Amino acid sequence: MKYGFGIDVGGTSVKLAFFSEEGQMLDKWEILTVREDDGQQILPDVAKAVETYIAEKKLDKAQILGVGIGVPGPVCNGTVNRCENLGWGVTDVSGILSKMIGLPVYVGNDANMAALGEVWKGSGKGADNMVLVTLGTGIGGGIILGSRPLDGVHGAAGEIGHICVDSQEREPCSCGKFGCAEQYCSARGVVRLAKQHLQKADEDSALRRLEMLTCKDVFDACAAGDVLANEILERAYEYLGRVLAAVCNVVDPEVVVLGGGVSRAGQPLLDGAQRYFGKYVFHAARSVRFALASLGNDAGVYGAFKLVLDAVK
Amino acid sequence: MKYGFGIDVGGTSVKLAFFSEEGQMLDKWEILTVREDDGQQILPDVAKAVETYIAEKKLDKAQILGVGIGVPGPVCNGTVNRCENLGWGVTDVSGILSKMIGLPVYVGNDANMAALGEVWKGSGKGADNMVLVTLGTGIGGGIILGSRPLDGVHGAAGEIGHICVDSQEREPCSCGKFGCAEQYCSARGVVRLAKQHLQKADEDSALRRLEMLTCKDVFDACAAGDVLANEILERAYEYLGRVLAAVCNVVDPEVVVLGGGVSRAGQPLLDGAQRYFGKYVFHAARSVRFALASLGNDAGVYGAFKLVLDAVK
């Protein structure tokens, strides 16, 4: 019997999972992401976690196909080119980690790994071509073409959140540009739109009585019939539909999957995005299927292990 | 010695070329595109042209690797899904043509074939990943990933001209949507911007003295120092930079090639597009190379023959 690891390095925790060759998740756990010292402890911690697991389970390294790992930065040929989240500069993750643990290591961008996970075991199952948009604090994107993640020449493919969808924007995005989709459709973006809208509008709204406004509050208020909340979300949906149309005009996938915290809003989000998508997409690409992500936080470790399977196959 | 054909079906003429297996163009010629009767004569005419050439050159069909053909519509698995330009509905080009001429036929979208040509023998030479934007009467786009054209699931990949770059637009594009890049950066789009700008502005301009304003006039006037012409082109460049940034945020290619009639404007167009591209693109994708297309009208037949080579290889 052969096995492998799928690992997802995040800014707060590192998720690890142990898989059978058949793709069954047999175990999963987390360790803390130590970001001190420019994140220099992260890879040694990962190596230790893997080694400890192998020793505890009395596994032979010959049984381990390899380790797949997703990291939050642009990846080219196993090397990540800056991870601001972790404090890393250019880091040869594959070289460093495989030397530490004596196993083959395959590296991908975390958003791409989540996409690979969803197309393998989640909502994209059965599709060869998929776009995953992760609507979290920011927006991540992963593109699967021919069943493989598209990295891009500089590891920047799928940077969907930083497509300009409003050239009139005067506030800068965290990336320094103006009018990025992330400024409107991420959790933080929805809150930003909400604050702007509440300031401009005169009508009353349940949202005015909240001290700390969250994205979920806006969705909840809208579901409860709040008019302003509805207007705020319509704006967010329009931006989201517009950016998804741009992406689909470029790669024309079979399915678009919405994931991340914001996607917990469920069907209303899906319907809203799809309505405006239809307004902006080129007719030939319009019959794409929309779905909500189904693997949640496990998407990344699934995808990371799939990278191992694809490499050894 | 083995040979093959590369064919490019346009709305006015069909370009045909005869190639050696090594990729040398040995001959090229054109026939008229007969659009009467919903274009039903086009494929028989193509078949006849190929058969006649083979007979005249006393070739044996066993020497012919195949026929590659680019058509102006979305292509999936050898079938084109509507070519409004030609009057075709869903047409199994590969099946129909290969039955007529008894040779393998490989079909692609014309913009994709032009991209494949440029990456094989033109300005994209040496790159595996390229975006070609054809700025003609309209805007076409072709995307090469891993040295192969990206068709998309519905044959709609690379529809760059119909990405929305101005959500404030009130005039519809030919596709029925609003704010498509084609409305600003195609030859027709530049003329449209020019007319709008001349109407709004008070200053004099050489363009005011022209009866039939063309895209070339705007570039010529700008080169001669005309202030309004310069302002018009700056707007077009901004839209072009914005849509190219969107495309590069999605696929992150090695090189962006500008082709089509508008690209005869040369270096100023390249510089202008690249300047605004830098304003909109995500930092990790910014170091893409920009180039002008170099194969002109031959790009399509080169690409179509490359499709044959890739298929038999």
Side-chain angles (χ1 to χ4, degrees), chain A residues 239-272:
Chain A
Y239 284 119
L240 184 55
R242 197 182 295 161
V243 76
L244 293 176
V247 176
C248 290
N249 280 1
V250 177
V251 296
D252 182 21
E254 198 172 330
V255 51
V256 168
V257 176
L258 304 183
V262 179
S263 74
R264 284 193 218 111
Q267 201 61 38
L269 172 76
L270 212 55
D271 293 344

Side-chain angles (χ1 to χ4, degrees), chain A residues 21-287:
Chain A
E21 194 176 9
E22 284 74 36
Q24 211 190 337
M25 192 192 283
L26 304 172
D27 232 333
K28 69 170 173 171
W29 70 104
E30 295 190 14
I31 60 174
L32 276 178
T33 303
V34 177
R35 287 159 70 180
E36 281 79 52
D37 298 325
D38 295 330
Q40 290 311 300
Q41 203 45 49
I42 297 171
L43 290 180
D45 284 350
V46 167
K48 201 178 131 200
V50 168
E51 295 274 18
T52 306
Y53 189 88
I54 291 175
E56 274 175 4
K57 299 289 171 182
K58 297 188 171 46
L59 293 160
D60 184 338
K61 276 197 182 165
Q63 292 176 276
I64 310 292
L65 296 168
V67 174
I69 183 166
V71 294
V75 176
C76 286
N77 305 320
T79 291
V80 56
N81 179 9
R82 279 203 325 202
C83 283
E84 288 164 48
N85 247 352
L86 308 179
W88 292 357
V90 173
T91 306
D92 174 12
V93 177
S94 163
I96 295 170
L97 198 56
S98 65
K99 199 171 284 178
M100 286 177 183
I101 52 181
L103 286 169
V105 173
Y106 308 95
V107 190
N109 168 269
D110 58 353
N112 289 354
M113 293 305 94
L116 190 56
E118 286 288 346
V119 85
W120 182 38
K121 294 277 189 181
S123 299
K125 213 167 157 176
D128 294 323
N129 303 284
M130 187 196 83
V131 170
L132 172 71
V133 184
T134 307
L135 305 165
T137 316
I139 294 187
I143 296 172
I144 303 294
L145 295 177
S147 302
R148 290 181 177 270
L150 179 68
D151 290 330
V153 171
H154 317 89
E159 279 296 349
I160 292 168
H162 298 286
I163 291 177
C164 176
V165 290
D166 191 339
S167 55
Q168 310 294 315
E169 182 59 63
R170 294 291 162 262
E171 264 183 49
C173 177
S174 65
C175 76
K177 313 245 166 226
F178 296 82
C180 296
E182 186 165 300
Q183 291 184 274
Y184 314 97
C185 315
S186 63
R188 212 186 271 149
V190 170
V191 169
R192 185 176 152 272
L193 281 182
K195 287 181 177 164
Q196 284 179 353
H197 201 71
L198 290 172
Q199 204 158 37
K200 263 197 250 164
D202 294 324
E203 296 93 322
D204 190 34
S205 161
L207 299 175
R208 295 198 189 279
R209 288 181 284 283
L210 297 169
E211 214 156 291
M212 275 279 292
L213 187 63
T214 67
C215 178
K216 186 171 180 300
D217 293 330
V218 184
F219 280 98
D220 288 347
C222 180
D226 191 281
V227 175
L228 286 195
N230 182 59
E231 290 170 4
I232 292 159
L233 289 181
E234 285 294 312
R235 276 200 70 193
Y237 295 154
E238 174 141 24
Y239 284 119
L240 184 55
R242 197 182 295 161
V243 76
L244 293 176
V247 176
C248 290
N249 280 1
V250 177
V251 296
D252 182 21
E254 198 172 330
V255 51
V256 168
V257 176
L258 304 183
V262 179
S263 74
R264 284 193 218 111
Q267 201 61 38
L269 172 76
L270 212 55
D271 293 344
Q274 205 161 0
R275 188 152 25 89
Y276 286 103
F277 174 80
K279 178 177 167 187
Y280 289 108
V281 75
F282 188 63
H283 62 82
R286 83 175 299 140
S287 54

Side-chain angles (χ1 to χ4, degrees), chain B residues 10-313:
Chain B
T12 314
S13 70
V14 179
K15 293 173 187 67
L16 299 102
F18 184 66
F19 290 89
S20 72
E21 194 177 8
E22 284 75 34
Q24 210 190 338
M25 192 192 284
L26 303 172
D27 232 333
K28 69 169 171 170
W29 71 104
E30 295 190 15
I31 60 174
L32 276 179
T33 303
V34 177
R35 288 159 69 179
E36 280 81 52
D37 298 325
D38 295 331
Q40 290 312 299
Q41 201 46 47
I42 297 172
L43 290 180
D45 284 349
V46 166
K48 201 177 131 199
V50 169
E51 294 276 17
T52 305
Y53 189 88
I54 291 175
E56 273 175 5
K57 299 289 172 182
K58 297 188 172 45
L59 294 159
D60 183 338
K61 277 195 182 166
Q63 291 177 277
I64 311 293
L65 296 167
V67 174
I69 182 165
V71 294
V75 175
C76 286
N77 305 320
T79 292
V80 58
N81 179 10
R82 280 206 320 204
C83 283
E84 287 164 48
N85 247 352
L86 308 178
W88 292 358
V90 174
T91 305
D92 174 12
V93 176
S94 163
I96 295 170
L97 198 56
S98 64
K99 200 172 284 178
M100 285 178 184
I101 52 181
L103 287 169
V105 173
Y106 308 95
V107 190
N109 168 268
D110 58 353
N112 288 354
M113 293 305 93
L116 190 56
E118 287 288 345
V119 86
W120 182 38
K121 293 278 189 181
S123 298
K125 214 168 157 174
D128 293 324
N129 303 283
M130 186 195 85
V131 170
L132 172 71
V133 184
T134 306
L135 305 165
T137 316
I139 295 186
I143 296 171
I144 303 295
L145 295 177
S147 302
R148 290 180 178 270
L150 179 68
D151 290 331
V153 171
H154 317 90
E159 279 297 349
I160 294 168
H162 298 286
I163 291 176
C164 177
V165 290
D166 190 339
S167 55
Q168 310 294 316
E169 182 60 64
R170 293 293 164 260
E171 265 182 47
C173 176
S174 64
C175 77
K177 313 246 166 224
F178 295 82
C180 297
E182 186 165 298
Q183 292 184 274
Y184 314 97
C185 316
S186 64
R188 212 188 270 150
V190 170
V191 170
R192 185 176 151 272
L193 281 182
K195 287 181 178 165
Q196 285 178 353
H197 201 72
L198 290 172
Q199 204 158 37
K200 262 196 251 165
D202 292 326
E203 297 94 321
D204 190 32
S205 161
L207 299 175
R208 295 200 190 279
R209 288 181 284 283
L210 296 169
E211 214 157 290
M212 275 279 293
L213 187 63
T214 67
C215 177
K216 185 170 181 302
D217 293 330
V218 183
F219 279 98
D220 288 347
C222 180
D226 191 280
V227 174
L228 286 196
N230 182 59
E231 290 170 5
I232 293 159
L233 289 181
E234 284 295 311
R235 277 200 69 194
Y237 294 154
E238 175 141 24
Y239 284 118
L240 184 55
R242 197 183 296 160
V243 76
L244 293 175
V247 175
C248 290
N249 280 1
V250 177
V251 296
D252 182 19
E254 198 173 332
V255 53
V256 168
V257 176
L258 304 183
V262 179
S263 74
R264 284 193 218 111
Q267 200 61 38
L269 171 77
L270 212 55
D271 292 344
Q274 204 160 1
R275 189 153 24 91
Y276 286 102
F277 174 80
K279 177 176 168 188
Y280 288 107
V281 76
F282 189 64
H283 63 80
R286 82 177 298 142
S287 56
V288 61
R289 178 164 69 83
F290 272 63
L292 295 166
S294 60
L295 299 180
N297 290 332
D298 289 345
V301 293
Y302 271 108
F305 177 62
K306 183 61 162 56
L307 206 60
V308 176
L309 283 185
D310 287 345
V312 301
K313 200 170 58 179

